[in-house]
Every structure is written in structure tokens, then in C-alpha cells.
């Protein structure tokens, strides 16, 4: 299980929609490393509309948090709405944030391209 959902929030979810603030709080509390990396990247976006993190996680536990956060459409979407950015992801740890105005710009297209993925490979990342 990737999220530690409080019983009262689970009951509300069973009864109907929940708001983003409650959902994002669960993500923040359940995936603290992923939250730290993503919030750091999102709040570091520069004038070009871009920021990224290239530092590998310290352990597989932290790597797993990033994978869970960015592989889930709901979690990723909640984080993007919360921070007002578009997230992009490579190699089990490289997280980038783009402002909405930078999405579909040259840097964004290069980052999400097959070429960008291939150029960002290294032997130590092949098991991630």
C-alpha cells in the first residue's frame, strides 16, 4: 500500500468525492521523500519555466516513493494541481517541473522525448 489513508478520509471517499487538499495531505504524509523532492523542484522553477532534480534517492525505499507518486495518475495530477506545474519523470529519480507556459516548449519536448530518455541513461540506473 502506498498511501496511509486516515479512516475518516477513507469513509468520506467511500461516500463521494474528496477535495484535493485532503488528498494531497495524505500524499505528503505517506510519501515524505517524494513530497520533498517534488516540492523542491516545483518551488525552484526558474525564469525559463523549468527545474529538475538529478540526485538519486538514498535508498530503494525513497526510490519507491518517487515511483509510486509519479506512476499514479491521481497522485501525479494532485501534485501538479497543488504546485501549479507539469511534472516530467526519467530514470526512476529525475523529476522535472515545468510551468504551464513552458509545456510543449523546446526544453519540455526534449526532456520527454525518447532521445532525452536515452541520453539520460547510465549503467547504475539500469536496475531501477
Amino acid at each position: 500500500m502506498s498511501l496511509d489513508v486516515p479512516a475518516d478520509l477513507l469513509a468520506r471517499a467511500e461516500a463521494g468525492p474528496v477535495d484535493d487538499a485532503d488528498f494531497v495531505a495524505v500524499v505528503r504524509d505517506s510519501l515524505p521523500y517524494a513530497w520533498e523532492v517534488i516540492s523542491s523542484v516545483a518551488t525552484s522553477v526558474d525564469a525559463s519555466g523549468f527545474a529538475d532534480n538529478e540526485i538519486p534517492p538514498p535508498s530503494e525505499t525513497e526510490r519507491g516513493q518517487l515511483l509510486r507518486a509519479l506512476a499514479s495518475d491521481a497522485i501525479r495530477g494532485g501534485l501538479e494541481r497543488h504546485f501549479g506545474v507539469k511534472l516530467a519523470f526519467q530514470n526512476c529519480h529525475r523529476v522535472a517541473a515545468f510551468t504551464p507556459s513552458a509545456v510543449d516548449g523546446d526544453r519540455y519536448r526534449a526532456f520527454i522525448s525518447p532521445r532525452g530518455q536515452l541520453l539520460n541513461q547510465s549503467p547504475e540506473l539500469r536496475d531501477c
Side-chain angles (χ1 to χ4, degrees):
M1 182 166 65
S2 64
L3 298 178
D4 184 17
V5 183
D8 65 317
L9 183 57
L10 184 57
R12 284 190 283 147
E14 289 170 347
V18 296
D19 65 28
D20 263 356
D22 290 334
F23 179 64
V24 169
V26 168
V27 172
R28 180 194 64 226
D29 296 344
S30 300
L31 304 172
Y33 178 80
W35 177 268
E36 177 184 324
V37 169
I38 292 166
S39 66
S40 175
V41 169
T43 59
S44 298
V45 172
D46 63 20
S48 73
F50 170 80
D52 72 338
N53 172 69
E54 296 185 83
I55 302 168
S59 75
E60 289 306 308
T61 299
E62 286 85 1
R63 186 181 316 278
Q65 286 188 27
L66 281 177
L67 290 172
R68 286 192 297 281
L70 294 164
S72 164
D73 290 339
I75 295 173
R76 186 181 196 150
L79 292 168
E80 288 175 336
R81 289 186 300 277
H82 177 77
F83 290 110
V85 297
K86 174 72 173 162
L87 297 171
F89 188 51
Q90 289 181 346
N91 291 345
C92 305
H93 75 271
R94 188 169 181 205
V95 180
F98 295 86
T99 60
S101 63
V103 172
D104 206 33
D106 291 341
R107 191 171 208 171
Y108 177 78
R109 285 193 307 272
F111 190 91
I112 65 164
S113 72
R115 180 178 186 259
Q117 180 70 47
L118 292 171
L119 293 173
N120 198 33
Q121 296 301 299
S122 63
E124 63 270 11
L125 296 175
R126 296 222 171 104
D127 283 340
C128 71

